[in-house]
Amino acid sequence: MNCLEKDALGPSQAILVVGMRMKALSKLEWLKFVDRLVNDSGMEIIGVKAKGESFVFDRLKSADELRLDHDVTILPPKKVFLPVTEDLMTYDLKGQVRGERTIDDRKRVLIGVHPYDVIAIEQMDEIYLGSNIDEHYASRRLNTLIIASDIINVSERSFAASLGTHVTDSGYDLLVTDIGDTVVVDVGTKEGRALLKKYGSARDASKKEADTVKCWRSDLPTWFARRAKLPSSEWKRVLDENHDHPIWDENSKKCLTCGTCTTVCPTCYCYDVDDKTDLNLKEGKRQRTWDGCLLREFTLVGSGEIFREGVKERYRHRFYRKGAYLPDRKGFVACVGCGRCAYQCLPDIADPSEVMNSLASYNLHKTVEHPVPSVEHPEIMEDLLIPEPATIVRKQKMTELETLYVVRLDSGKELGHAPGQFVQVSLYGIGEAPISISSAPGGKEFELLVRRIGDVTGAMEKLKEGDKIGVRGPYGRGFDPKEMQGKNMLFISGGCGLAPMRSLIDYTMGHRKDFKDVWILYGCKEPAAILFSKDLKQWADVDNVKVLTTVDKCPDGQCWDGNIGVITTLIPKVAFDPMRTIAVIVGPPVMYKFVIRDLKSRGMPDENIIVSLERRMKCGVGKCGHCQMNGIYCCIEGPVFKYSEVKNIPEAF
Amino acid sequence: MKARVAIFDFASCEGCELQIVNLEEKLLDLIDIVDVVSFREAMKEHSNDYDIALIEGSIMRPMDEERIKKIRERAKVLIAIGACACLGGVNKLRNEWPVEEVKKEVYGDALLEGNKFFDVFPTKAVDEVVKVDFYIPGCPIDRNEFAKVITAVALGRKPRLPSYPVCVECKKRENICVFELGQFCLGPITRAGCNAICTSFQDGCEGCRGFLDDAKMDAQKDVLRKYGVTVDQMMKKFNFYNYRKGVL
């Protein structure tokens, strides 16, 4: 039914203002316009083309390849701005190790983007350009003009109309509507207007043409077979209330964990980075490729721990990320109802409208909230992903597994870190690893304690003094010593947890007057694994500082006359006033629960407990997604947290 | 000093070794970073002094077993290449029948008694006989993955195979799912790394790279049933490269 034949128009939200900016081209003129773009503009023209019975965005060779009647493309147009695989930089392994940024700033026009994909691109812009600008994304995005197109055929699994994403009034340079013999063009930006003027001969659209477009848009919702019952503004509430809904269990049993839902999603933005060295071992490229939270090793860290291993947890995470975490963080639901995941999922369990509809009709009313701590992130202005050259000044073997490196940036600048922050250490051809800084702030040199555990840390051990490494950072929220001033300090660390803790302890020792009594509790597997024993001795000599150490066991052949037992056996030995003491805990994941339990039983309030958590920090700048604990990015909101901020976060401990 | 590499074949079509020769100009890079000291398919020379042994093919006979054990003793690093070496591959299909029956079927009444070349036992993958350090799976192996594993070993990095299924690479290549084309596919349970070569040519995955350690077999069977695949068809498909690893 055409609304021109009706007096009353459809729901007002679907009707967009169409007025003076409407232009029109005959079909022939439209094809000429596209052909001129392809042949004369010198730009790369990417449009929707047929692939079998499906559609894809691909480089156009002529206008007749372009389709405006597509229902949906297999992959979303985000691939133009964030390619499936892209080079971030090249490196040279011969002689001096160096890295050079690869930037793609080719001018492009992208034709045939449906409104839901335009909105998805606006969301991607918010992620990649909103803060900590990603230059690789930016150079593609800012050099591309978008010619959007109204939906002519609705995809069978799309529910965009329920979310209001079947139409849009922003995010495009031109928006075209194929109304038969004529293509009506809505001019969105002056760049769009200039493009149309330069390569096309458009006239003003007639009132009838403008009305036809208006009617088409208002009628469009009736063509959608699928509906989400809940408005997107309700998704977060319903998800928060249904964290333990049986659907997560039931559906995840059918899940192949094939990652298709995240690969085809227009709003998924997680990525992985890997070094690809040429077979000649002389040069290589650091590449970024799409990654997805459904895949098993998404949260794998160097020690072999996988933080979100269960299929149910992975399956659920995807829905929460889209429906709860991003609304919290950015204010939008990261689903535009394109239906790609639903259509492509073989077991058919990925459809957000179906899952949300099930949750809406069966509410358990057991609310689990995932608040994101409000942290001021300093804007990172440097090249986000390109390391700075640095030199290993000194190297000292600490234990069988651990080595301390003293590092200096080649630029001569100070690193400028806060205690508890970390850097990304880069070895070209091997990769990057997040390493916490173990020296106090200040000075041109900084110290990294590295446990030999994975590729980067293993290769690093083979480096000599004077050798080069790459460094990015410092990253993350560190400890805030100012907040701890005037308090007693209780440091509790296990294993190499002492490394990040040392930066704060050294700060405390350097500002001794600002703090009251200090206790340092340190536990290790065995005497031979004890780190910073010289430091431990020095700290113990300072007034009103008490150092207690323990080992889990003392194997034959090692010497130990101190305490034997896990770290919690040291806590009863300390008489602290729980209200006037700050406890700082850093250690292996298993340690936190037990230490926190014992501190709380001594009456310590949650606000006085500070933890630093380990996760897979791959990018360090809040984008790649690997370090997420529910809605929190460990790399920017952490790694240091107040216990009160994370105690209710299901994935934190 | 350059690592010394030897390439050996057991029961196989030698197609994986051919993939190495197919590196073409990159082969020159390879021989620049390692010394190839034995490679029957491509050179006459042979030496028993090597660091890295690349093994193609499956183990079928007592004499193979003896030979692979010797190679293992000599090599610091042993890498299985191709489905036959990594999984047993298509050679394992004959394990469905007793050895004597198979011999009779193939060689009829020929007198094989006492001939060590025909003294066979049920097919084994290489790691059923000796320790394998790294795997380069596939039928045949993928040249890029071969280069990746070799450069990793040369740089002292642990070569890691993808832990996700072929679907990831297939979707990234923007293929139409072969289930939509009326075929069936083992992509969702098979280790990626082939860049979805078969499905990119509209041919369902046969699982030549082996199933993932955490392959979701039940979910895969549900999907196959949904698309009307019979138990018999499923069994044949599962067994083709992964004999008795996809038990119904």
Side-chain angles (χ1 to χ4, degrees):
Chain A
M1 191 191 309
N2 189 319
C3 78
L4 285 177
E5 295 153 18
K6 294 185 294 182
D7 285 328
L9 293 179
S12 62
Q13 57 127 7
I15 307 166
L16 298 168
V17 185
V18 284
M20 296 305 287
R21 58 184 193 185
M22 302 294 276
K23 299 278 176 192
L25 297 141
S26 69
K27 227 6 170 337
L28 190 66
E29 285 296 338
W30 161 253
L31 293 172
K32 274 194 201 161
F33 168 61
V34 176
D35 266 332
R36 271 183 220 130
L37 286 177
V38 171
N39 297 321
D40 306 340
S41 71
M43 296 188 274
E44 184 176 62
I45 312 300
I46 295 168
V48 177
K49 286 161 65 164
K51 177 170 184 173
E53 305 207 339
S54 299
F55 297 95
V56 295
F57 280 97
D58 197 6
R59 200 173 166 170
L60 292 183
K61 289 192 204 81
S62 76
D64 21 303
E65 289 182 317
L66 177 69
R67 296 283 292 265
L68 291 180
D69 61 339
H70 60 294
D71 51 357
V72 67
T73 54
I74 300 176
L75 288 183
K78 79 169 180 200
K79 68 174 185 178
V80 175
F81 310 120
L82 186 73
V84 170
T85 302
E86 70 181 304
D87 297 344
L88 295 177
M89 59 187 291
T90 57
Y91 53 82
D92 186 347
L93 292 175
K94 208 176 59 186
Q96 182 89 344
V97 177
R98 66 186 165 81
E100 237 158 75
R101 192 174 62 150
T102 330
I103 279 287
D104 174 3
D105 56 3
R106 175 118 210 239
K107 298 260 182 231
R108 293 190 173 89
V109 180
L110 183 55
I111 313 178
V113 185
H114 276 166
Y116 52 79
D117 277 339
V118 171
I119 292 164
I121 292 169
E122 289 181 299
Q123 293 191 358
M124 292 291 280
D125 289 351
E126 186 52 40
I127 303 295
Y128 279 100
L129 306 177
S131 60
N132 294 349
I133 293 170
D134 183 293
E135 295 217 14
H136 292 84
Y137 180 91
S139 67
R140 289 197 180 84
R141 178 68 181 95
L142 303 177
N143 284 303
T144 302
L145 295 176
I146 293 178
I147 303 182
S149 95
D150 265 318
I151 301 169
I152 302 300
N153 287 311
V154 173
S155 160
E156 59 179 276
R157 295 303 294 266
S158 175
F159 54 98
S162 312
L163 302 177
T165 53
H166 61 305
V167 285
T168 182
D169 59 1
S170 67
Y172 53 82
D173 297 286
L174 297 172
L175 167 61
V176 298
T177 316
D178 183 349
I179 57 167
D181 297 337
T182 307
V183 172
V184 181
V185 186
D186 175 0
V187 177
T189 61
K190 59 178 193 303
E191 289 80 8
R193 185 189 305 277
L195 189 80
L196 187 60
K197 202 169 165 197
K198 188 165 178 195
Y199 298 105
S201 39
R203 53 175 172 80
D204 286 339
S206 67
K207 182 166 185 309
K208 195 176 162 217
E209 286 161 345
D211 283 346
T212 306
V213 170
K214 196 159 133 188
C215 287
W216 177 255
R217 289 179 193 164
S218 79
D219 276 351
L220 194 53
T222 61
W223 295 97
F224 283 78
R226 300 265 169 173
R227 271 171 233 293
K229 290 181 202 160
L230 280 174
S232 53
S233 57
E234 288 285 294
W235 284 26
K236 182 183 144 42
R237 178 186 62 78
V238 168
L239 284 168
D240 284 348
E241 287 175 358
N242 287 289
H243 190 261
D244 297 321
H245 193 287
I247 198 170
W248 308 125
D249 237 348
E250 287 160 18
N251 281 2
S252 63
K253 284 198 182 108
K254 298 181 210 156
C255 181
L256 292 160
T257 67
C258 65
T260 293
C261 52
T262 53
T263 308
V264 300
C265 179
T267 69
C268 272
Y269 55 84
C270 293
Y271 61 79
D272 199 8
V273 175
D274 197 16
D275 284 5
K276 198 175 165 199
T277 304
D278 209 84
L279 195 49
N280 63 18
L281 294 188
K282 285 177 189 146
E283 67 246 343
K285 293 166 181 167
R286 178 160 291 173
Q287 293 184 320
R288 159 156 85 182
T289 181
W290 293 359
D291 202 353
C293 56
L294 261 294
L295 306 179
R296 183 167 172 269
E297 292 189 357
F298 188 71
T299 52
L300 171 76
V301 294
S303 62
E305 182 133 1
I306 297 179
F307 284 97
R308 195 183 305 111
E309 191 166 15
V311 179
K312 175 180 159 187
E313 287 71 23
R314 283 185 264 154
Y315 174 79
R316 183 172 57 194
H317 181 75
R318 172 175 165 259
F319 290 94
Y320 275 71
R321 201 175 145 91
K322 303 207 167 292
Y325 307 152
L326 275 157
D328 256 350
R329 186 175 283 279
K330 296 284 186 186
F332 52 74
V333 161
C335 173
V336 293
C338 67
R340 287 184 177 96
C341 57
Y343 186 79
Q344 298 282 347
C345 175
L346 286 168
D348 199 1
I349 50 165
D351 189 335
S353 69
E354 283 181 1
V355 168
M356 293 311 296
N357 288 349
S358 304
L359 297 185
S361 58
Y362 182 86
N363 199 328
L364 288 183
H365 289 296
K366 188 194 162 201
T367 303
V368 177
E369 287 189 37
H370 319 92
V372 176
S374 88
V375 176
E376 297 243 339
H377 314 129
E379 185 73 4
I380 299 163
M381 302 303 289
E382 312 292 321
D383 264 351
L384 269 196
L385 303 170
I386 311 301
E388 268 193 70
T391 305
I392 296 174
V393 183
R394 279 188 305 285
K395 183 183 168 189
Q396 185 191 347
K397 190 135 174 84
M398 304 290 278
T399 66
E400 165 58 26
L401 281 179
E402 282 109 351
T403 306
L404 187 73
Y405 300 86
V406 181
V407 179
R408 185 164 48 207
L409 296 179
D410 288 359
S411 64
K413 280 190 293 190
E414 275 193 27
L415 184 65
H417 68 285
Q421 282 195 298
F422 66 97
V423 288
Q424 291 285 356
V425 170
S426 218
L427 297 184
Y428 297 121
I430 311 284
E432 284 190 307
I435 309 285
S436 52
I437 305 152
S438 55
S439 51
K444 296 217 161 142
E445 292 175 354
F446 56 95
E447 296 176 6
L448 304 174
L449 179 93
V450 180
R451 173 177 281 190
R452 177 181 14 103
I453 211 162
D455 291 332
V456 175
T457 52
M460 199 163 168
E461 208 180 46
K462 292 180 196 138
L463 297 181
K464 302 177 297 292
E465 289 176 359
D467 280 349
K468 301 283 177 197
I469 58 172
V471 169
R472 291 195 290 127
Y475 292 136
R477 172 170 65 159
F479 298 104
D480 185 357
K482 298 235 158 43
E483 246 188 45
M484 306 169 184
Q485 277 178 9
K487 298 274 175 47
N488 303 311
M489 297 298 297
L490 173 57
F491 295 102
I492 305 174
S493 65
C496 53
L498 187 58
M501 185 94 91
R502 180 171 171 256
S503 61
L504 180 62
I505 297 176
D506 272 347
Y507 177 92
T508 316
M509 298 301 156
H511 300 73
R512 190 64 198 89
K513 286 197 302 287
D514 294 344
F515 303 90
K516 294 199 166 144
D517 290 348
V518 174
W519 298 277
I520 298 166
L521 314 187
Y522 178 48
C524 260
K525 274 210 178 86
E526 54 183 55
I530 288 184
L531 291 166
F532 299 114
S533 39
K534 224 171 86 189
D535 297 68
L536 288 164
K537 272 200 203 88
Q538 279 173 6
W539 295 331
D541 288 340
V542 180
D543 281 348
N544 298 322
V545 177
K546 206 174 240 168
V547 176
L548 297 173
T549 47
T550 186
V551 293
D552 294 352
K553 58 178 191 319
C554 182
D556 294 342
Q558 292 188 25
C559 233
W560 184 250
D561 59 359
N563 193 71
I564 291 192
V566 292
I567 184 80
T568 45
T569 58
L570 294 180
I571 297 173
K573 297 176 196 279
V574 183
F576 59 87
D577 174 353
M579 303 310 286
R580 295 200 176 85
T581 303
I582 300 281
V584 182
I585 311 169
V586 193
V590 59
M591 195 184 97
Y592 293 90
K593 208 165 63 183
F594 297 104
V595 171
I596 290 168
R597 185 195 60 195
D598 289 7
L599 292 178
K600 284 179 67 79
S601 74
R602 293 278 293 272
M604 185 170 275
D606 295 342
E607 297 73 37
N608 288 18
I609 303 175
I610 311 243
V611 296
S612 176
L613 301 178
E614 183 197 10
R615 285 297 183 279
R616 184 176 174 201
M617 274 79 130
K618 184 90 194 179
C619 71
V621 293
K623 304 216 192 292
C624 79
H626 295 90
C627 69
Q628 235 183 318
M629 312 182 297
N630 296 102
I632 295 175
Y633 277 89
C634 202
C635 72
I636 50 175
E637 274 97 43
V640 172
F641 297 96
K642 281 185 185 159
Y643 178 59
S644 55
E645 290 172 331
V646 285
K647 65 176 179 180
N648 293 324
I649 300 295
E651 290 183 345
F653 296 105
Chain B
M1 221 191 62
K2 289 200 268 184
R4 292 167 66 84
V5 174
I7 302 166
F8 299 105
D9 41 49
F10 288 80
S12 63
C13 70
E14 299 178 18
C16 292
E17 285 165 85
L18 198 58
Q19 282 289 77
I20 299 173
V21 181
N22 282 346
L23 284 167
E24 295 170 356
E25 72 267 34
K26 291 245 179 239
L27 190 62
L28 300 176
D29 286 335
L30 177 71
I31 57 176
D32 212 30
I33 63 163
V34 295
D35 276 329
V36 181
V37 300
S38 187
F39 187 3
R40 196 189 52 80
E41 188 158 283
M43 61 194 255
K44 293 188 297 225
E45 299 80 355
H46 167 77
S47 162
N48 276 332
D49 176 17
Y50 44 83
D51 308 303
I52 300 171
L54 299 172
I55 310 295
E56 176 179 359
S58 21
I59 310 301
M60 318 280 266
R61 307 170 293 194
M63 61 185 289
D64 296 341
E65 209 164 49
E66 237 170 83
R67 181 169 164 237
I68 189 75
K69 283 178 179 162
K70 274 233 166 66
I71 293 171
R72 178 69 264 193
E73 275 169 31
R74 289 177 183 139
K76 290 193 193 99
V77 177
L78 188 144
I79 305 175
I81 65 169
C84 298
C86 296
L87 304 167
V90 289
N91 293 327
K92 271 207 173 176
L93 284 171
R94 77 159 162 75
N95 294 2
E96 189 74 359
W97 299 274
V99 164
E100 288 313 313
E101 238 175 78
V102 173
K103 273 198 209 171
K104 184 129 183 82
E105 176 72 24
V106 178
Y107 301 106
D109 295 328
L111 272 176
L112 305 173
E113 206 58 47
N115 186 332
K116 66 174 183 171
F117 295 105
F118 295 89
D119 179 16
V120 294
F121 49 58
T123 307
K124 294 176 190 175
V126 174
D127 64 6
E128 290 173 72
V129 183
V130 295
K131 181 176 172 278
V132 170
D133 298 299
F134 306 117
Y135 298 84
I136 306 177
C139 180
I141 57 166
D142 177 85
R143 273 172 274 169
N144 288 323
E145 191 166 59
F146 175 80
K148 207 169 143 186
V149 171
I150 297 299
T151 50
V153 172
L155 286 169
R157 175 180 170 179
K158 197 175 166 214
R160 226 171 256 129
L161 298 175
S163 60
Y164 47 79
V166 174
C167 294
V168 173
E169 292 174 337
C170 188
K171 284 287 138 9
K172 283 180 178 176
R173 291 188 69 169
E174 212 162 1
N175 293 323
I176 298 169
C177 184
V178 297
F179 279 97
E180 265 184 73
L181 302 173
Q183 298 186 33
F184 61 100
C185 181
L186 300 185
I189 49 171
T190 301
R191 190 183 300 281
C194 52
N195 203 15
I197 176 85
C198 295
T199 52
S200 296
F201 289 92
Q202 294 88 44
D203 206 358
C205 170
E206 305 276 1
C208 74
R209 297 175 51 82
F211 298 152
L212 289 162
D213 299 336
D214 67 332
K216 301 290 176 279
M217 298 308 285
D218 290 340
Q220 169 75 7
K221 285 171 207 160
D222 285 347
V223 167
L224 291 175
R225 269 192 289 273
K226 185 172 133 186
Y227 282 88
V229 180
T230 65
V231 170
D232 186 50
Q233 284 172 309
M234 260 188 240
M235 231 28 242
K236 282 187 177 145
K237 191 94 167 170
F238 282 155
N239 279 345
F240 193 55
Y241 281 106
N242 297 271
Y243 183 70
R244 293 205 171 163
K245 286 194 175 162
V247 186
L248 289 175

